[in-house]
Amino acid sequence: MSFATLFKMSRPVNIVIAIVTLVIGYFLLGELPYASNGIKTPELILQALGFAAAIAFANIQNDILDLESDKMNRPSRPLVCGKASVKAAKITSIILAILTIASGTAGGLLAYTAIPVIFFIALALLLIAYNIKLKHLPLLKNMTVAFLCTTPLILCLVHPTGPIESDDESLEFMTKFAFLFPAMLFAFLLTTAREIYKDLEDEIGDLKAGIMTFPLIAGPETARRLAGAILIFTWISLPMPVMQGTYPTLFVILTAATLTPSFIYIIVQAHKKNYRKSQAVTKLAMFLGLISLVVSAAI
């Protein structure tokens, strides 16, 4: 099994998204390494490494457990087409799990806090629970994936560094939460919608493999409507950070200009049952929303 095959199984796009989200979180809080009271560069690198290892571990483990269903839904995946062996994949996943915990431990030692190691242990356990149990629970599996997409922002929130010098730790936490909540909500909602579209795309294969998903239980029409409703709710919620005074009016202008056509396109493609396109543009919309937050905060 080549390194290129392992790299493909790790889902590098998802890794990049997680690391970018982590950096954006610290940027929104004014806690990047260039700030006087920001996170130190080695700590940030270790956190990024921890997320990269955790995501790669979870995806490789997922491919091992989903081998039978992937024969119908994802026939091009390395384990299905014989480019990788199950034994090698298992060894690699174990190494990556160890690297995840090691990154958190090293980060904790550098920052003199147990938070990073506790965080990455909890993340690894949640990923294992998802692969083994939670992904078989309709709709909860979608929401779990959505929650996992917010974990880089959660680490930014709980990591002991911040722009506010105050003896009131609860005030500091709530202030940081106010800056990060729009991004967390945005990522959670759009990922939930994207995961529903993914289930719709995999409906036939999941049915043959005996995997019960929300579209199979509630029906594809109900699933499409729910995903569309989530997109509409996200769009309606765009002015919220401005109304709260956390972000400037520019945020609404940027998101309205980029996300309105994106959401319309997603819903139209879903109606045409082009679920792969709906997934791709939903992921793009999440990225556009995060960039809008960055630009708004910078200006």
Side-chain angles (χ1 to χ4, degrees), residues 204-227:
I204 296 176
D206 287 339
L207 180 61
K208 291 181 179 179
I211 300 174
M212 299 309 296
T213 61
F214 181 70
L216 288 174
I217 292 177
E221 185 65 26
T222 299
R224 279 198 301 271
R225 288 176 179 174
L226 177 59

Side-chain angles (χ1 to χ4, degrees), residues 6-7 9-12 14-15 49-63 89 92-93 96-97 99-100 127 131:
L6 284 174
F7 186 70
M9 292 177 68
S10 72
R11 315 291 199 278
N14 292 344
I15 291 174
L49 179 60
F51 274 108
I55 293 169
F57 151 71
N59 283 319
I60 292 175
Q61 184 188 59
N62 180 74
D63 282 0
T92 302
S93 67
L96 289 167
L99 181 59
T100 299
L127 288 168
N131 282 337

Side-chain angles (χ1 to χ4, degrees), residues 139-150:
L139 202 56
L140 180 60
K141 62 166 280 193
N142 310 98
M143 297 176 70
T144 302
V145 173
F147 174 77
L148 286 167
C149 287
T150 69

Side-chain angles (χ1 to χ4, degrees), residues 119-137:
F119 176 88
F120 280 109
I121 289 174
L123 178 61
L125 291 175
L126 179 58
L127 288 168
I128 293 171
Y130 172 80
N131 282 337
I132 295 176
K133 182 67 176 179
L134 297 178
K135 71 179 180 183
H136 300 294
L137 303 177

Side-chain angles (χ1 to χ4, degrees), residues 170-192:
S170 62
L171 175 62
E172 180 176 341
F173 179 86
M174 291 308 298
T175 303
K176 293 173 67 173
F177 181 75
F179 276 97
L180 291 181
F181 180 71
M184 294 168 66
L185 179 64
F186 196 78
F188 180 83
L189 291 173
L190 288 190
T191 303
T192 300

